[in-house]
Amino acid sequence: MAAREPDWVPGDAWLAPGYAEWAPPAALRGAVACLWASVVPDGADRATLVLPDACSDLVWEQGIGGYVAGPDTGPVRTVTKAGTVIVGVRFRPSAGGTVLGLPLSEVRDQRVALAALLPAAARRLPAGLSPAEAAARAVDIAGLLIAEVAPDHAVSQAAALLRDPAARTEDIAGQVGLSERQLRRRVHAAAGYGPKTLQRVLRFRRFVRMLDAAGEPPDLASAAVQAGYADQAHLTRECSALSGLTPAALARVRAQPSGGSAIMAVPISRKPSRA
């Protein structure tokens, strides 16, 4: 079978060195946040600081094959060999567990071989595929998995409401028609952790996006308030817990170029790692 070119990226842009994201096909957008590719140039391994993003990923890594990257609750440092190509489908916080057919809390803070979770899918993503074929197959697999399940609308709505850092989980439960206990159980299954942790990670993502959008290091006291933290001290505690760095140090890391072997953090985080 001839290798297929993925139709979700412009031309050969997905093979450009570095990391890039694209919008998924329209039919997948309810469950998929983005499609992404990471290409490590020849000549030097790349060290990466992976940040929690409240998402889970279906990943194919050249020479490794398929695996699932569960939601993280803290920073993960990885090293990817020079010349490696990785492609992935990133599921929204409210969709990963439903689409993959398992409580996502079972793979929290883990990278699990796809063969252990979805053997049929793993057979379609062997390590020796061309990156183009792996990218096309990963999207096909995601589409089939999404088509087989009904979305949990209550959890989707709760996840949207939890983007507000001032929202109270007990109020959200009532708004989506669940008890607090039901909400915790279903968010654990779909997102990998409870509503309060999901809210923390979503707030942190807001701060990271602010860093990425800033042309220069922001005023951290102001950024803390804009991101939804009580004050700069609160931001510092949360940033240290979720990234392992102070806000100022994280701002410097996010400003670094992605080349070479410098520790970096890609947009909204990605999770390539050895399965």
Side-chain angles (χ1 to χ4, degrees), residues 143-201:
L144 290 172
L145 292 173
I146 290 167
E148 291 175 354
V149 298
D152 189 329
H153 293 296
V155 171
S156 297
Q157 185 183 0
L161 293 169
L162 285 165
R163 294 183 185 278
D164 178 357
R168 293 163 54 88
T169 56
E170 55 267 34
D171 295 335
I172 288 174
Q175 287 177 263
V176 301
L178 300 175
S179 69
E180 288 185 60
R181 183 173 181 177
Q182 288 172 324
L183 179 64
R184 283 195 300 272
R185 176 176 57 80
R186 284 165 65 168
V187 172
H188 263 283
Y193 30 59
K196 290 187 182 298
T197 299
L198 177 56
Q199 188 177 42
R200 287 179 60 215
V201 174

Side-chain angles (χ1 to χ4, degrees), residues 14-113:
W14 70 288
L15 283 177
Y19 171 84
E21 295 177 358
W22 298 272
L28 306 186
R29 289 177 190 171
V32 175
C34 70
L35 311 171
W36 57 266
S38 173
V39 181
V40 182
D42 292 330
D45 296 349
R46 184 172 66 187
T48 305
L49 175 64
V50 181
L51 302 177
D53 62 3
C55 296
S56 53
D57 298 68
L58 171 64
V59 183
W60 175 87
E61 182 170 344
Q62 191 173 34
I64 298 296
Y67 58 92
V68 168
D72 293 321
T73 57
V76 178
R77 294 176 186 263
T78 69
V79 177
T80 307
K81 291 184 178 180
T84 298
V85 178
I86 307 172
V87 297
V89 177
R90 177 163 303 135
F91 299 111
R92 296 186 184 279
S94 58
T98 303
V99 173
L100 295 170
L102 76 160
L104 210 59
S105 53
E106 294 182 1
V107 296
R108 182 176 56 231
D109 294 317
Q110 297 181 61
R111 310 296 184 262
V112 181

Side-chain angles (χ1 to χ4, degrees), residues 187-248:
V187 172
H188 263 283
Y193 30 59
K196 290 187 182 298
T197 299
L198 177 56
Q199 188 177 42
R200 287 179 60 215
V201 174
L202 292 173
R203 180 174 52 199
F204 176 66
R205 283 183 65 187
R206 183 182 298 108
F207 173 66
V208 173
R209 286 194 297 269
M210 289 172 59
L211 291 182
D212 292 342
E216 56 187 36
D219 175 77
L220 292 176
S222 240
V225 174
Q226 290 178 47
Y229 293 97
D231 51 31
Q232 187 173 343
H234 184 200
L235 167 63
T236 298
R237 291 193 301 272
E238 287 289 277
C239 188
S240 297
L242 293 169
S243 73
L245 299 169
T246 65

